[in-house]
Amino acid sequence: MIISATLSKPAKNAESKLDKNYVKVKIYKNPSVTKSFQKEYILEFFTEKQSFTKFMNTKELDIYIEENAGITFKNAVIKTENEEIQILSNRHGEIKKLTKPLSKSNEANETSTKNFSKYNRKKNYILTEGKPINFLVKLGVMNEDGKVLNKMHDKFKQINRYLEFIDDILDDLKKLCTENKGFTKERPLYIADFGCGKSYLTFAVYYFLTEIKNIPVHITGLDLKEDVIKNCQHLAEEFGYKDLHFNTGNISDAKYAHSNDMIITLHACDTATDFALNYAIKENTKVILCVPCCQHEINLQLQKNKMEENSNLSAFCNYGILQERFSSLATDAIRAETLEENGYNVQLLEFIDMSHTPKNILIRAVYNPAKSEKAKQKAKCRKESLLQSLNVKQTLNSLLQKK
């Protein structure tokens, strides 16, 4: 039985056989299999900027490996319970299969190092269940024994998934902000959370960075709801989180005494995400992590414009659900290209599985001071071409034109 596998080094003709330009595929057992869900394997497909997830049963996986190992991918490493199999192909298309037995120590190590953090309900979370955490208890995510309440499991997973993305970019932040010297009490990591709401994420980020990573931080949460912000500030003071602060206000009016190194948002509604991105670009923020929420702006314009019947995109506007999803994807594409145009390296990533939330795209942007003008110009052309094709306006693009 296959335990895990990695397919890499796509062949020259791979693009014609794959539905996307994948550079690597990781395969491992699905720890959440139940009698009602018999897809035993998780496959993560990676392009240069995105990742996609599929589920397969044993038969489907066997067929997939047979059709792709050594063919569309020149290197495949497959681990079973007893052996490691490597399938290689050279430039002439000759395939070689190498097999070596796994020692008991290797098997034990393989079992202990599997990373199921994205799917496993209890293991490998950054914030672990079973250990009461003050803010999670107060905010109604956990009970006093550290057990996550049934109705809050999705929120708990969202928080942990977001922390994983932050963990991934800490080295980039250190290089960009402190020339690899690290953050100190005199020079803490500055973060703004726009549209923080009840601040599950804001508290989690503060706890993660200060208590787990031992990084000095200064975090400010911003939201329009005065009563919610007042409660959040009260909790921060109760927990002794002296460098966590909350303000009432609009993102468009946000002003700080210091430059923020990172901007985060989680489900900032509609164009609120655009105002957050606009702030980040204008303030030269080094890292941006945004999970957009409802996105009505382009959808409403498409409805009003009644796209021409002969348009290449008119089919998307003939069905309400397709138009809504298409509008959402188009919005994030414009945002991504706008960020690229302004010197960021951008990835659009799956935030969390669709079964937990349909709002599952995360925009991750890391400032690249060495980004070429040619790359910026290409991004600008792609953005403008899309706006012209749709005959729409988009808030982030409009805001930046005013600077």
Side-chain angles (χ1 to χ4, degrees), residues 220-274:
T220 305
L222 181 73
D223 201 274
L224 290 169
K225 299 175 182 176
E226 292 186 18
D227 55 336
V228 173
I229 287 299
K230 185 177 179 181
N231 182 59
C232 291
Q233 185 61 48
H234 172 75
L235 291 177
E237 293 169 2
E238 179 182 336
F239 302 147
Y241 293 173
K242 60 184 179 65
D243 292 312
L244 175 58
H245 304 281
F246 295 91
N247 295 327
T248 304
N250 199 310
I251 299 172
S252 60
D253 301 322
K255 292 182 181 179
Y256 297 91
H258 49 75
S259 297
N260 284 296
D261 304 308
M262 180 162 63
I263 297 298
I264 60 175
T265 73
L266 177 56
H267 296 155
C269 191
D270 201 14
T271 57
T273 295
D274 296 301

Side-chain angles (χ1 to χ4, degrees), residues 187-202:
R187 185 9 180 137
L189 169 57
Y190 290 105
I191 301 173
D193 183 356
F194 288 137
C196 61
K198 293 183 179 179
S199 301
Y200 300 100
L201 178 64
T202 329

